Amino acid sequence: MKRQLWATASALVMMHAAPAMAQVSGETAEAATDPSGTDPDAFADVVVTARRREENLQDVPVAVTAFTPAVLVQKAITDRTSLADNTPSLFTINGGYPREFAFFALRGQGPAFGSTPGVINYFAEVPNTTSIDGRVGTYYDLANVQVVSGPQGTLFGKNATGGNILFEPAKPRNAFEGYVRAEYGNYNNARIEGALNLPVVPDKVLLRVAGEVGRRDGYTIDVGPNFAGKDYDNLAYQSVRLGLTLRPADGIESYTVARYYNSDTNGGGTVLGAVNPAGAALIGLFYPTIGSQLADQQGRGPRRVSYDLNQRSLTDYWQVVNQTSIDLGDTLKLRNIASYSEFRSKYTYDYDATPLPLAGQVSRGIPVLAPNTFTEELQLQGTAANRAINFSIGGYLDRQTWSGPAGIQEFTLFPVGTLIPPVPFFQVLKNRSEAVFGQATVDLGVLTPALRGLSLTGGLRYTWEHSFTATTLIAPPAVEGTFDDDYLSYTATIDYDVSSGIHVYLTSRDAYKSGGVNGPVPEGSAFRVFPAERLSDIEAGLKAQFDVGTMKGRLNVAAYRGNYDNIQRTTAEQVSGVVLNVTRSAAKGRVQGVEINAALIPFTGLTLNGSYSYIDARYTEVADASAGAILNGAPFPYTPEHKFSVGGTYEAPLGRAGDLTLSANYVRQTEVSTAQTNQSFYRELPGYGLLNASVGLNNVGGRPLSITAFGTNLTNVAKPVGVIDLYAAGPSVVGLTYTEPRMYGIRVGYRFGN
């Protein structure tokens, strides 16, 4: 998936628990799926599934950030960028493709040209690499969102060097209930979402249907001459989910969730940010107005643009997931998780952000991306030795096939499109992986009272991967390549309950990012294939929950250091007498940092929270001279050095009028690089800060009705948050993606049923 997107742009040339309010235990957890309400107790038990079983967040020795639906609304988390803004060490990569295709990076681990992602998204416990989850229109009717930081190489379906992001849908309940929520705001922003829960046969057949529809005008406008008045960065999506739980007999449960997502927009509003004078001199022989394009853009500002391509971004996606569990007595459970999905994306995109045909792509009637994915995971979970041992063993496999033809019908990258016609570019990607795994936690305190509070965890996973790539440029034959790899991952953890409310841990683990094949490179070359990346780290954490007089507090701190081997980068190499851009193992590096989260309830009704992360990342060794030529002095990408958020919520009863809720949140990060090498012109995206706030009434008139006025980016910050750097390439330009402007509106929610 990522290989295709990056090839499109480059072919031819803490432990953070904040807001520490995730899924809470019991009925409160299920009621929290109503986004109109607020959490009744910020320090209620928080249940996460970071180790594939339900555990209290304050006890689990894993770095997790978790959000309930209510907190997602309060913090205005509606897309990938806003999720990253509110999660320390998480960064979202924009630019060079439609905005909804932004990628995640966590603790410096993200995508790279020709390689797999370092952060894997999960929906209903199924890994999903198709860039669906986290985009606008996918945050409705969720039980929670969890960001699990650090290498994940044992229990989860796919290896991830940076971490996992878990999107857990609300499951059917044994109650008639539901909610509906609508909002309207500036830019004609109109959205409606809701859910209906039906116990068709109480305790036996439970049904839940949910969906969301959204429309919003774009905030970036084309001034012409080609598409005057067309708006970009608009929204037009619809999504629906159906969940069905069957309990045919005691100890047997089958949960199936099916979903469909569709989005059809005008694409992102990339803004011209720089022009290379040297390249412009040549371009000017064909397009004399190139010299005035940058000045014209700067005069218009970042919300007015001029394109030569009629942009469009269309996504169709559907998926079916089944989770079946069978109790094999009091101490064993067999679980099976299977899924199938199809993803289709078509888009036309103007990379150069000018009215000149310098860089862009057109997919027309065929999709650019067309993967079909099947996954299967079998787990045996259980306890032993009077529940002193908690274990999970199993196997995992996935298969990704490609529905063709798929690719770009017309690809332009000056002088292609000027001296020769735009070229077609087609690609087939097929991948498969298999793994076996086992992990166990031993509570030594159950076995020996003298060791009360001390636990040990160990896990191993062996993974086999196979990938196939076939690339057709202009005309057949296709250039094909295959790559096979296998590796062993481990986890080892010691954690200790120092006292009531104070928990410490130390963990060591590793994970891999798959290697691959450079298709155009002939067999026998040293650059034909590139090995997997490996990140091994050590993390120490403290989780504390305490009372100071009448105040309640929570403090979570984590410090980590990771050694990063076989870092994949793209270098120019002599291959059979020809210089080719190849992905290769280019360097080693070190990534270390600290993540802090704090929350405080000074008095009933007021909750204050804040978080901070610091990342220090650098290359420690380059493989050879050609690697050094592009990496020496290069910034380490995706690692904002400092990032923090501060916020608070105040709730007060107003009698029959309802319950007043005031909420504000400010987030800020320092400058950050997305450059993979030192050859990039636009080396750093600037730092920025955003302020969001809302004021609302819940339980209006004693009824389950809520009314809220909200505002995002209240100071109307306009800063670049993404970049496509073609400065040194033929087009000689840099395109920038900007923050969304100030938005405001009203939302109304209503709950019904039990």
Side-chain angles (χ1 to χ4, degrees), residues 374-418:
F374 170 77
T375 71
E376 162 66 24
E377 181 173 1
L378 184 65
Q379 304 173 357
L380 180 65
Q381 298 179 344
T383 61
N386 195 28
R387 301 189 182 277
I389 301 175
N390 193 313
F391 67 87
S392 179
I393 60 175
Y396 169 85
L397 66 85
D398 64 42
R399 299 287 185 269
Q400 183 187 89
T401 58
W402 202 257
S403 178
I408 305 163
Q409 286 191 321
E410 296 178 5
F411 188 89
T412 300
L413 195 71
F414 183 87
V416 175
T418 298

mmCIF file of all heavy atoms in Angstrom, residues 374-418:
data_model
loop_
_atom_site.group_PDB
_atom_site.id
_atom_site.type_symbol
_atom_site.label_atom_id
_atom_site.label_comp_id
_atom_site.label_asym_id
_atom_site.label_seq_id
_atom_site.Cartn_x
_atom_site.Cartn_y
_atom_site.Cartn_z
ATOM 1 N N PHE A 374 -7.221 -10.674 3.149
ATOM 2 C CA PHE A 374 -7.802 -11.701 4.015
ATOM 3 C C PHE A 374 -6.867 -11.930 5.195
ATOM 4 O O PHE A 374 -5.646 -12.037 5.013
ATOM 5 C CB PHE A 374 -7.986 -13.017 3.249
ATOM 6 C CG PHE A 374 -8.350 -14.184 4.133
ATOM 7 C CD1 PHE A 374 -9.631 -14.337 4.623
ATOM 8 C CD2 PHE A 374 -7.386 -15.123 4.482
ATOM 9 C CE1 PHE A 374 -9.960 -15.405 5.449
ATOM 10 C CE2 PHE A 374 -7.691 -16.194 5.303
ATOM 11 C CZ PHE A 374 -8.993 -16.338 5.794
ATOM 12 N N THR A 375 -7.417 -11.971 6.411
ATOM 13 C CA THR A 375 -6.614 -12.257 7.599
ATOM 14 C C THR A 375 -7.284 -13.352 8.413
ATOM 15 O O THR A 375 -8.510 -13.494 8.400
ATOM 16 C CB THR A 375 -6.439 -11.018 8.496
ATOM 17 O OG1 THR A 375 -7.686 -10.699 9.142
ATOM 18 C CG2 THR A 375 -5.960 -9.823 7.702
ATOM 19 N N GLU A 376 -6.464 -14.108 9.125
ATOM 20 C CA GLU A 376 -6.959 -15.185 9.989
ATOM 21 C C GLU A 376 -6.022 -15.303 11.186
ATOM 22 O O GLU A 376 -4.804 -15.355 11.033
ATOM 23 C CB GLU A 376 -7.000 -16.508 9.225
ATOM 24 C CG GLU A 376 -7.073 -17.759 10.069
ATOM 25 C CD GLU A 376 -8.356 -17.910 10.860
ATOM 26 O OE1 GLU A 376 -9.380 -17.320 10.435
ATOM 27 O OE2 GLU A 376 -8.344 -18.603 11.884
ATOM 28 N N GLU A 377 -6.609 -15.301 12.385
ATOM 29 C CA GLU A 377 -5.822 -15.444 13.604
ATOM 30 C C GLU A 377 -6.544 -16.391 14.556
ATOM 31 O O GLU A 377 -7.735 -16.232 14.827
ATOM 32 C CB GLU A 377 -5.616 -14.094 14.283
ATOM 33 C CG GLU A 377 -4.765 -14.184 15.549
ATOM 34 C CD GLU A 377 -4.416 -12.822 16.127
ATOM 35 O OE1 GLU A 377 -4.858 -11.802 15.558
ATOM 36 O OE2 GLU A 377 -3.710 -12.785 17.146
ATOM 37 N N LEU A 378 -5.814 -17.362 15.057
ATOM 38 C CA LEU A 378 -6.344 -18.329 16.019
ATOM 39 C C LEU A 378 -5.565 -18.194 17.313
ATOM 40 O O LEU A 378 -4.331 -18.240 17.313
ATOM 41 C CB LEU A 378 -6.228 -19.754 15.475
ATOM 42 C CG LEU A 378 -6.833 -20.862 16.343
ATOM 43 C CD1 LEU A 378 -8.348 -20.703 16.441
ATOM 44 C CD2 LEU A 378 -6.484 -22.235 15.774
ATOM 45 N N GLN A 379 -6.280 -18.003 18.424
ATOM 46 C CA GLN A 379 -5.648 -17.812 19.723
ATOM 47 C C GLN A 379 -6.184 -18.834 20.722
ATOM 48 O O GLN A 379 -7.378 -19.164 20.700
ATOM 49 C CB GLN A 379 -5.954 -16.417 20.304
ATOM 50 C CG GLN A 379 -5.597 -15.239 19.454
ATOM 51 C CD GLN A 379 -6.109 -13.948 20.095
ATOM 52 O OE1 GLN A 379 -6.766 -13.954 21.130
ATOM 53 N NE2 GLN A 379 -5.807 -12.826 19.460
ATOM 54 N N LEU A 380 -5.316 -19.289 21.585
ATOM 55 C CA LEU A 380 -5.714 -20.053 22.760
ATOM 56 C C LEU A 380 -5.271 -19.248 23.970
ATOM 57 O O LEU A 380 -4.073 -19.070 24.206
ATOM 58 C CB LEU A 380 -5.082 -21.447 22.779
ATOM 59 C CG LEU A 380 -5.454 -22.316 23.993
ATOM 60 C CD1 LEU A 380 -6.953 -22.647 23.985
ATOM 61 C CD2 LEU A 380 -4.629 -23.606 24.014
ATOM 62 N N GLN A 381 -6.243 -18.742 24.725
ATOM 63 C CA GLN A 381 -5.954 -17.928 25.893
ATOM 64 C C GLN A 381 -6.333 -18.706 27.144
ATOM 65 O O GLN A 381 -7.304 -19.469 27.143
ATOM 66 C CB GLN A 381 -6.743 -16.612 25.855
ATOM 67 C CG GLN A 381 -6.416 -15.726 24.673
ATOM 68 C CD GLN A 381 -7.240 -14.450 24.681
ATOM 69 O OE1 GLN A 381 -8.241 -14.340 25.368
ATOM 70 N NE2 GLN A 381 -6.798 -13.475 23.903
ATOM 71 N N GLY A 382 -5.576 -18.517 28.212
ATOM 72 C CA GLY A 382 -5.913 -19.249 29.415
ATOM 73 C C GLY A 382 -5.112 -18.810 30.618
ATOM 74 O O GLY A 382 -4.234 -17.936 30.548
ATOM 75 N N THR A 383 -5.436 -19.440 31.736
ATOM 76 C CA THR A 383 -4.715 -19.222 32.987
ATOM 77 C C THR A 383 -4.323 -20.576 33.556
ATOM 78 O O THR A 383 -4.912 -21.609 33.223
ATOM 79 C CB THR A 383 -5.575 -18.461 34.007
ATOM 80 O OG1 THR A 383 -6.753 -19.229 34.297
ATOM 81 C CG2 THR A 383 -5.981 -17.097 33.480
ATOM 82 N N ALA A 384 -3.325 -20.554 34.420
ATOM 83 C CA ALA A 384 -2.848 -21.789 35.060
ATOM 84 C C ALA A 384 -2.289 -21.443 36.431
ATOM 85 O O ALA A 384 -2.102 -20.263 36.761
ATOM 86 C CB ALA A 384 -1.781 -22.460 34.190
ATOM 87 N N ALA A 385 -2.009 -22.490 37.205
ATOM 88 C CA ALA A 385 -1.403 -22.343 38.538
ATOM 89 C C ALA A 385 -2.197 -21.377 39.401
ATOM 90 O O ALA A 385 -1.680 -20.387 39.914
ATOM 91 C CB ALA A 385 0.053 -21.900 38.412
ATOM 92 N N ASN A 386 -3.491 -21.676 39.517
ATOM 93 C CA ASN A 386 -4.377 -20.845 40.344
ATOM 94 C C ASN A 386 -4.391 -19.396 39.855
ATOM 95 O O ASN A 386 -4.380 -18.457 40.641
ATOM 96 C CB ASN A 386 -3.957 -20.904 41.816
ATOM 97 C CG ASN A 386 -5.025 -20.373 42.747
ATOM 98 O OD1 ASN A 386 -6.230 -20.425 42.438
ATOM 99 N ND2 ASN A 386 -4.609 -19.855 43.895
ATOM 100 N N ARG A 387 -4.385 -19.255 38.532
ATOM 101 C CA ARG A 387 -4.422 -17.957 37.846
ATOM 102 C C ARG A 387 -3.158 -17.132 38.048
ATOM 103 O O ARG A 387 -3.141 -15.928 37.777
ATOM 104 C CB ARG A 387 -5.660 -17.145 38.253
ATOM 105 C CG ARG A 387 -6.969 -17.860 37.956
ATOM 106 C CD ARG A 387 -8.174 -16.971 38.166
ATOM 107 N NE ARG A 387 -9.407 -17.702 37.927
ATOM 108 C CZ ARG A 387 -9.964 -17.915 36.736
ATOM 109 N NH1 ARG A 387 -9.376 -17.435 35.662
ATOM 110 N NH2 ARG A 387 -11.086 -18.608 36.625
ATOM 111 N N ALA A 388 -2.100 -17.767 38.490
ATOM 112 C CA ALA A 388 -0.823 -17.064 38.592
ATOM 113 C C ALA A 388 -0.213 -16.844 37.216
ATOM 114 O O ALA A 388 0.589 -15.924 37.027
ATOM 115 C CB ALA A 388 0.144 -17.848 39.464
ATOM 116 N N ILE A 389 -0.569 -17.683 36.246
ATOM 117 C CA ILE A 389 -0.036 -17.588 34.886
ATOM 118 C C ILE A 389 -1.173 -17.240 33.934
ATOM 119 O O ILE A 389 -2.217 -17.899 33.934
ATOM 120 C CB ILE A 389 0.632 -18.905 34.458
ATOM 121 C CG1 ILE A 389 1.775 -19.267 35.420
ATOM 122 C CG2 ILE A 389 1.149 -18.807 33.025
ATOM 123 C CD1 ILE A 389 2.400 -20.616 35.141
ATOM 124 N N ASN A 390 -0.969 -16.231 33.138
ATOM 125 C CA ASN A 390 -1.926 -15.818 32.116
ATOM 126 C C ASN A 390 -1.203 -15.905 30.778
ATOM 127 O O ASN A 390 -0.179 -15.247 30.582
ATOM 128 C CB ASN A 390 -2.401 -14.388 32.392
ATOM 129 C CG ASN A 390 -3.606 -14.005 31.574
ATOM 130 O OD1 ASN A 390 -3.645 -14.230 30.370
ATOM 131 N ND2 ASN A 390 -4.586 -13.399 32.225
ATOM 132 N N PHE A 391 -1.714 -16.712 29.855
ATOM 133 C CA PHE A 391 -0.964 -16.961 28.621
ATOM 134 C C PHE A 391 -1.852 -16.864 27.394
ATOM 135 O O PHE A 391 -3.081 -16.952 27.466
ATOM 136 C CB PHE A 391 -0.292 -18.338 28.661
ATOM 137 C CG PHE A 391 -1.257 -19.498 28.655
ATOM 138 C CD1 PHE A 391 -1.726 -20.033 27.461
ATOM 139 C CD2 PHE A 391 -1.702 -20.048 29.851
ATOM 140 C CE1 PHE A 391 -2.611 -21.090 27.450
ATOM 141 C CE2 PHE A 391 -2.593 -21.121 29.853
ATOM 142 C CZ PHE A 391 -3.042 -21.638 28.640
ATOM 143 N N SER A 392 -1.179 -16.684 26.259
ATOM 144 C CA SER A 392 -1.839 -16.682 24.952
ATOM 145 C C SER A 392 -0.868 -17.271 23.941
ATOM 146 O O SER A 392 0.290 -16.853 23.870
ATOM 147 C CB SER A 392 -2.237 -15.265 24.547
ATOM 148 O OG SER A 392 -2.847 -15.256 23.267
ATOM 149 N N ILE A 393 -1.332 -18.239 23.174
ATOM 150 C CA ILE A 393 -0.544 -18.814 22.086
ATOM 151 C C ILE A 393 -1.417 -18.867 20.842
ATOM 152 O O ILE A 393 -2.654 -18.865 20.933
ATOM 153 C CB ILE A 393 -0.020 -20.228 22.426
ATOM 154 C CG1 ILE A 393 -1.197 -21.185 22.708
ATOM 155 C CG2 ILE A 393 0.942 -20.188 23.594
ATOM 156 C CD1 ILE A 393 -0.758 -22.619 22.924
ATOM 157 N N GLY A 394 -0.792 -18.882 19.679
ATOM 158 C CA GLY A 394 -1.617 -18.930 18.479
ATOM 159 C C GLY A 394 -0.829 -18.779 17.201
ATOM 160 O O GLY A 394 0.402 -18.825 17.179
ATOM 161 N N GLY A 395 -1.581 -18.560 16.130
ATOM 162 C CA GLY A 395 -0.997 -18.380 14.812
ATOM 163 C C GLY A 395 -1.757 -17.324 14.042
ATOM 164 O O GLY A 395 -2.941 -17.051 14.312
ATOM 165 N N TYR A 396 -1.078 -16.714 13.091
ATOM 166 C CA TYR A 396 -1.661 -15.624 12.307
ATOM 167 C C TYR A 396 -1.223 -15.765 10.859
ATOM 168 O O TYR A 396 -0.094 -16.178 10.571
ATOM 169 C CB TYR A 396 -1.201 -14.271 12.848
ATOM 170 C CG TYR A 396 -1.548 -13.107 11.946
ATOM 171 C CD1 TYR A 396 -2.795 -12.500 12.018
ATOM 172 C CD2 TYR A 396 -0.632 -12.626 11.010
ATOM 173 C CE1 TYR A 396 -3.123 -11.442 11.179
ATOM 174 C CE2 TYR A 396 -0.948 -11.571 10.174
ATOM 175 C CZ TYR A 396 -2.197 -10.975 10.266
ATOM 176 O OH TYR A 396 -2.517 -9.936 9.435
ATOM 177 N N LEU A 397 -2.131 -15.403 9.929
ATOM 178 C CA LEU A 397 -1.754 -15.323 8.519
ATOM 179 C C LEU A 397 -2.570 -14.237 7.855
ATOM 180 O O LEU A 397 -3.682 -13.902 8.280
ATOM 181 C CB LEU A 397 -1.927 -16.666 7.807
ATOM 182 C CG LEU A 397 -3.330 -17.256 7.637
ATOM 183 C CD1 LEU A 397 -4.045 -16.697 6.396
ATOM 184 C CD2 LEU A 397 -3.246 -18.775 7.516
ATOM 185 N N ASP A 398 -2.008 -13.651 6.802
ATOM 186 C CA ASP A 398 -2.775 -12.731 5.961
ATOM 187 C C ASP A 398 -2.357 -12.905 4.512
ATOM 188 O O ASP A 398 -1.260 -13.386 4.210
ATOM 189 C CB ASP A 398 -2.639 -11.274 6.424
ATOM 190 C CG ASP A 398 -1.215 -10.728 6.325
ATOM 191 O OD1 ASP A 398 -0.532 -10.995 5.323
ATOM 192 O OD2 ASP A 398 -0.788 -10.025 7.255
ATOM 193 N N ARG A 399 -3.266 -12.532 3.642
ATOM 194 C CA ARG A 399 -3.044 -12.597 2.204
ATOM 195 C C ARG A 399 -3.571 -11.317 1.577
ATOM 196 O O ARG A 399 -4.735 -10.956 1.765
ATOM 197 C CB ARG A 399 -3.776 -13.790 1.576
ATOM 198 C CG ARG A 399 -3.343 -15.156 2.105
ATOM 199 C CD ARG A 399 -1.964 -15.531 1.590
ATOM 200 N NE ARG A 399 -1.579 -16.877 1.981
ATOM 201 C CZ ARG A 399 -0.921 -17.178 3.093
ATOM 202 N NH1 ARG A 399 -0.580 -16.200 3.936
ATOM 203 N NH2 ARG A 399 -0.596 -18.419 3.375
ATOM 204 N N GLN A 400 -2.701 -10.613 0.844
ATOM 205 C CA GLN A 400 -3.149 -9.443 0.104
ATOM 206 C C GLN A 400 -2.968 -9.704 -1.386
ATOM 207 O O GLN A 400 -1.864 -9.985 -1.850
ATOM 208 C CB GLN A 400 -2.373 -8.187 0.501
ATOM 209 C CG GLN A 400 -2.880 -6.932 -0.213
ATOM 210 C CD GLN A 400 -2.006 -5.725 0.048
ATOM 211 O OE1 GLN A 400 -1.052 -5.463 -0.660
ATOM 212 N NE2 GLN A 400 -2.344 -4.979 1.091
ATOM 213 N N THR A 401 -4.066 -9.662 -2.109
ATOM 214 C CA THR A 401 -4.027 -9.794 -3.564
ATOM 215 C C THR A 401 -4.363 -8.435 -4.176
ATOM 216 O O THR A 401 -4.764 -7.501 -3.492
ATOM 217 C CB THR A 401 -5.012 -10.865 -4.037
ATOM 218 O OG1 THR A 401 -6.345 -10.523 -3.601
ATOM 219 C CG2 THR A 401 -4.638 -12.221 -3.469
ATOM 220 N N TRP A 402 -4.220 -8.348 -5.481
ATOM 221 C CA TRP A 402 -4.380 -7.070 -6.162
ATOM 222 C C TRP A 402 -5.388 -7.226 -7.286
ATOM 223 O O TRP A 402 -5.280 -8.142 -8.101
ATOM 224 C CB TRP A 402 -3.034 -6.611 -6.705
ATOM 225 C CG TRP A 402 -2.906 -5.146 -6.975
ATOM 226 C CD1 TRP A 402 -2.945 -4.531 -8.182
ATOM 227 C CD2 TRP A 402 -2.689 -4.110 -6.006
ATOM 228 N NE1 TRP A 402 -2.760 -3.179 -8.028
ATOM 229 C CE2 TRP A 402 -2.600 -2.892 -6.703
ATOM 230 C CE3 TRP A 402 -2.562 -4.093 -4.614
ATOM 231 C CZ2 TRP A 402 -2.392 -1.672 -6.069
ATOM 232 C CZ3 TRP A 402 -2.352 -2.883 -3.976
ATOM 233 C CH2 TRP A 402 -2.269 -1.695 -4.699
ATOM 234 N N SER A 403 -6.364 -6.342 -7.311
ATOM 235 C CA SER A 403 -7.366 -6.366 -8.373
ATOM 236 C C SER A 403 -6.926 -5.415 -9.479
ATOM 237 O O SER A 403 -6.869 -4.204 -9.282
ATOM 238 C CB SER A 403 -8.735 -5.961 -7.824
ATOM 239 O OG SER A 403 -9.703 -5.943 -8.841
ATOM 240 N N GLY A 404 -6.601 -5.941 -10.633
ATOM 241 C CA GLY A 404 -6.085 -5.105 -11.707
ATOM 242 C C GLY A 404 -7.077 -4.956 -12.845
ATOM 243 O O GLY A 404 -8.082 -5.658 -12.899
ATOM 244 N N PRO A 405 -6.801 -4.036 -13.781
ATOM 245 C CA PRO A 405 -5.627 -3.154 -13.754
ATOM 246 C C PRO A 405 -5.790 -2.037 -12.723
ATOM 247 O O PRO A 405 -6.889 -1.575 -12.461
ATOM 248 C CB PRO A 405 -5.593 -2.589 -15.170
ATOM 249 C CG PRO A 405 -7.039 -2.576 -15.582
ATOM 250 C CD PRO A 405 -7.646 -3.802 -14.969
ATOM 251 N N ALA A 406 -4.697 -1.632 -12.140
ATOM 252 C CA ALA A 406 -4.693 -0.539 -11.173
ATOM 253 C C ALA A 406 -3.421 0.260 -11.352
ATOM 254 O O ALA A 406 -2.368 -0.298 -11.644
ATOM 255 C CB ALA A 406 -4.788 -1.076 -9.752
ATOM 256 N N GLY A 407 -3.520 1.539 -11.174
ATOM 257 C CA GLY A 407 -2.347 2.394 -11.317
ATOM 258 C C GLY A 407 -2.728 3.764 -11.816
ATOM 259 O O GLY A 407 -3.866 4.201 -11.692
ATOM 260 N N ILE A 408 -1.763 4.442 -12.397
ATOM 261 C CA ILE A 408 -1.945 5.817 -12.855
ATOM 262 C C ILE A 408 -1.956 5.810 -14.375
ATOM 263 O O ILE A 408 -0.992 5.394 -15.013
ATOM 264 C CB ILE A 408 -0.807 6.708 -12.338
ATOM 265 C CG1 ILE A 408 -0.706 6.595 -10.812
ATOM 266 C CG2 ILE A 408 -1.007 8.142 -12.758
ATOM 267 C CD1 ILE A 408 0.605 7.093 -10.269
ATOM 268 N N GLN A 409 -3.049 6.274 -14.959
ATOM 269 C CA GLN A 409 -3.120 6.266 -16.421
ATOM 270 C C GLN A 409 -2.250 7.343 -17.048
ATOM 271 O O GLN A 409 -1.691 7.156 -18.119
ATOM 272 C CB GLN A 409 -4.572 6.438 -16.865
ATOM 273 C CG GLN A 409 -5.409 5.182 -16.645
ATOM 274 C CD GLN A 409 -6.752 5.282 -17.315
ATOM 275 O OE1 GLN A 409 -7.374 6.325 -17.322
ATOM 276 N NE2 GLN A 409 -7.226 4.184 -17.871
ATOM 277 N N GLU A 410 -2.150 8.492 -16.387
ATOM 278 C CA GLU A 410 -1.307 9.565 -16.897
ATOM 279 C C GLU A 410 -0.475 10.114 -15.753
ATOM 280 O O GLU A 410 -1.018 10.623 -14.769
ATOM 281 C CB GLU A 410 -2.156 10.683 -17.516
ATOM 282 C CG GLU A 410 -2.943 10.251 -18.738
ATOM 283 C CD GLU A 410 -3.805 11.377 -19.297
ATOM 284 O OE1 GLU A 410 -3.704 12.505 -18.769
ATOM 285 O OE2 GLU A 410 -4.575 11.120 -20.232
ATOM 286 N N PHE A 411 0.831 10.004 -15.882
ATOM 287 C CA PHE A 411 1.742 10.485 -14.850
ATOM 288 C C PHE A 411 2.618 11.567 -15.457
ATOM 289 O O PHE A 411 3.269 11.351 -16.478
ATOM 290 C CB PHE A 411 2.597 9.339 -14.305
ATOM 291 C CG PHE A 411 3.418 9.712 -13.115
ATOM 292 C CD1 PHE A 411 2.906 9.578 -11.838
ATOM 293 C CD2 PHE A 411 4.709 10.201 -13.269
ATOM 294 C CE1 PHE A 411 3.659 9.938 -10.732
ATOM 295 C CE2 PHE A 411 5.471 10.555 -12.161
ATOM 296 C CZ PHE A 411 4.937 10.425 -10.889
ATOM 297 N N THR A 412 2.621 12.745 -14.795
ATOM 298 C CA THR A 412 3.386 13.885 -15.284
ATOM 299 C C THR A 412 4.444 14.265 -14.262
ATOM 300 O O THR A 412 4.151 14.399 -13.073
ATOM 301 C CB THR A 412 2.462 15.094 -15.528
ATOM 302 O OG1 THR A 412 1.484 14.741 -16.500
ATOM 303 C CG2 THR A 412 3.259 16.296 -16.019
ATOM 304 N N LEU A 413 5.677 14.406 -14.713
ATOM 305 C CA LEU A 413 6.768 14.895 -13.876
ATOM 306 C C LEU A 413 7.774 15.544 -14.818
ATOM 307 O O LEU A 413 8.561 14.846 -15.459
ATOM 308 C CB LEU A 413 7.411 13.748 -13.084
ATOM 309 C CG LEU A 413 8.302 14.154 -11.920
ATOM 310 C CD1 LEU A 413 7.478 14.715 -10.772
ATOM 311 C CD2 LEU A 413 9.121 12.967 -11.430
ATOM 312 N N PHE A 414 7.707 16.857 -14.958
ATOM 313 C CA PHE A 414 8.481 17.576 -15.967
ATOM 314 C C PHE A 414 9.921 17.040 -16.044
ATOM 315 O O PHE A 414 10.571 16.837 -15.012
ATOM 316 C CB PHE A 414 8.509 19.074 -15.619
ATOM 317 C CG PHE A 414 9.216 19.915 -16.636
ATOM 318 C CD1 PHE A 414 8.533 20.402 -17.731
ATOM 319 C CD2 PHE A 414 10.569 20.203 -16.515
ATOM 320 C CE1 PHE A 414 9.192 21.175 -18.677
ATOM 321 C CE2 PHE A 414 11.232 20.964 -17.460
ATOM 322 C CZ PHE A 414 10.544 21.448 -18.546
ATOM 323 N N PRO A 415 10.397 16.746 -17.273
ATOM 324 C CA PRO A 415 9.851 17.093 -18.595
ATOM 325 C C PRO A 415 8.833 16.109 -19.164
ATOM 326 O O PRO A 415 8.323 16.329 -20.264
ATOM 327 C CB PRO A 415 11.100 17.127 -19.472
ATOM 328 C CG PRO A 415 11.991 16.088 -18.856
ATOM 329 C CD PRO A 415 11.764 16.205 -17.366
ATOM 330 N N VAL A 416 8.553 14.988 -18.414
ATOM 331 C CA VAL A 416 7.465 14.113 -18.852
ATOM 332 C C VAL A 416 6.159 14.901 -18.798
ATOM 333 O O VAL A 416 5.848 15.542 -17.797
ATOM 334 C CB VAL A 416 7.377 12.863 -17.961
ATOM 335 C CG1 VAL A 416 6.183 12.020 -18.343
ATOM 336 C CG2 VAL A 416 8.646 12.058 -18.049
ATOM 337 N N GLY A 417 5.399 14.849 -19.867
ATOM 338 C CA GLY A 417 4.187 15.648 -19.975
ATOM 339 C C GLY A 417 4.397 16.896 -20.802
ATOM 340 O O GLY A 417 3.433 17.542 -21.219
ATOM 341 N N THR A 418 5.665 17.235 -21.035
ATOM 342 C CA THR A 418 5.989 18.395 -21.861
ATOM 343 C C THR A 418 6.765 17.970 -23.098
ATOM 344 O O THR A 418 6.339 18.214 -24.225
ATOM 345 C CB THR A 418 6.802 19.424 -21.058
ATOM 346 O OG1 THR A 418 6.022 19.888 -19.957
ATOM 347 C CG2 THR A 418 7.184 20.618 -21.924
#
